[in-house]
């Protein structure tokens, strides 16, 4: 097997050709990517369920909109917290255990929150928090196959992607900021048959 170059912390942006309805126009933040597979959360799928409805103690730290996001089609009955801790992004060599108690660095200023911990541990450090129900997962080599088939664009993430106040526009805004022909893909019509 060939060595897998880690894409942890990067974004997968669904191409217009991706036919899976679970990922139509999806922007996925990869939280883990290695030879054992990949795990990420879809950043632009808000649900009508408020964070206060399922994790009341974390609601005050959740950014706008204060709803739970569908992180992907796997384990919809589980919750993941992803938070940005300002001031942590400039430390690329920092070990994953650095940062506030109850937060584990994924990439730069972005990390996973221990939702079993008391929110007070993180309240002073967290710049933004999103709660996700479920996640997107790929087995060994599965994501690499989808990349080879052209299903995803891989781009750099920015801390603001996690807490975008307009998640319905995230797909277009991530593509628009690219300095390549990908910026043109942002203009792709929602329904190409109307073109």
């Amino acid at each position: 097997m060939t060595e897998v170059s880690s894409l942890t912390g990067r974004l997968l942006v669904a191409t217009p050709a991706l036919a899976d309805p679970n990922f139509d126009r999806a922007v996925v933040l990869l939280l883990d990517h290695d030879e054992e597979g990949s795990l990420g959360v879809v950043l632009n799928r808000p649900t009508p369920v408020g964070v206060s409805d399922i994790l009341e103690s974390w609601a005050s730290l959740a950014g706008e909109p204060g709803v739970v996001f569908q992180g992907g089609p796997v384990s919809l009955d589980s919750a993941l917290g992803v938070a940005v801790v300002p001031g942590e992004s400039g430390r690329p060599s920092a070990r994953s255990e650095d940062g506030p108690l109850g937060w584990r660095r994924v990439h730069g200023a972005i990390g996973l929150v221990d939702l079993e911990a008391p929110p007070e541990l993180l309240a002073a450090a967290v710049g933004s928090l999103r709660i996700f129900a479920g996640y997107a997962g790929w087995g060994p080599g599965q994501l690499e196959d989808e990349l080879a088939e052209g299903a995803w664009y891989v781009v750099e993430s920015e801390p603001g992607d996690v807490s975008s106040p307009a998640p319905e526009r995230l797909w277009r805004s991530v593509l628009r900021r690219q300095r390549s022909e990908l910026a043109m893909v942002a203009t792709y019509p929602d329904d190409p048959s109307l073109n």
Side-chain angles (χ1 to χ4, degrees):
M1 180 174 170
T2 60
E3 184 178 321
V4 173
S5 176
S6 181
L7 300 176
T8 299
R10 313 253 330 254
L11 296 177
L12 297 178
V13 180
T15 67
L18 183 60
D20 185 339
N22 289 308
F23 298 108
D24 182 46
R25 304 258 170 143
V27 177
V28 178
L29 172 66
L30 281 176
L31 301 172
D32 192 27
H33 177 251
D34 58 25
E35 65 279 343
E36 295 176 20
S38 305
L39 180 138
V41 289
V42 179
L43 297 177
N44 58 337
R45 295 281 192 275
T47 72
V49 178
V51 173
S52 59
D53 295 337
I54 62 163
L55 291 169
E56 186 176 350
S57 61
W58 289 97
S60 65
L61 295 178
E64 288 299 321
V67 297
V68 175
F69 282 66
Q70 183 176 339
V74 182
S75 292
L76 290 171
D77 58 347
S78 65
L80 283 170
V82 177
V84 173
V85 174
E88 294 293 322
S89 62
R91 301 168 47 171
S93 63
R95 297 183 320 270
S96 63
E97 61 269 10
D98 289 340
L101 197 58
W103 179 82
R104 182 178 62 86
R105 181 184 318 281
V106 170
H107 177 76
I110 302 167
L112 286 168
V113 172
D114 177 1
L115 295 173
E116 299 292 321
E120 302 78 44
L121 286 178
L122 283 167
V126 169
S128 63
L129 169 72
R130 277 275 154 82
I131 303 295
F132 297 91
Y135 62 91
W138 294 265
Q142 188 178 4
L143 179 57
E144 287 74 18
D145 290 345
E146 290 183 18
L147 291 171
E149 292 166 4
W152 300 99
Y153 303 121
V154 179
V155 301
E156 293 297 324
S157 65
E158 294 181 2
D161 296 333
V162 171
S163 58
S164 172
E168 68 282 353
R169 294 196 301 263
L170 190 60
W171 185 84
R172 288 189 193 283
S173 65
V174 167
L175 288 172
R176 197 173 294 121
R177 75 178 182 230
Q178 303 309 308
R179 297 175 187 248
S180 65
E181 63 277 354
L182 286 184
M184 291 299 295
V185 177
T187 64
Y188 198 82
D190 291 334
D191 184 352
S193 67
L194 299 176
N195 200 4

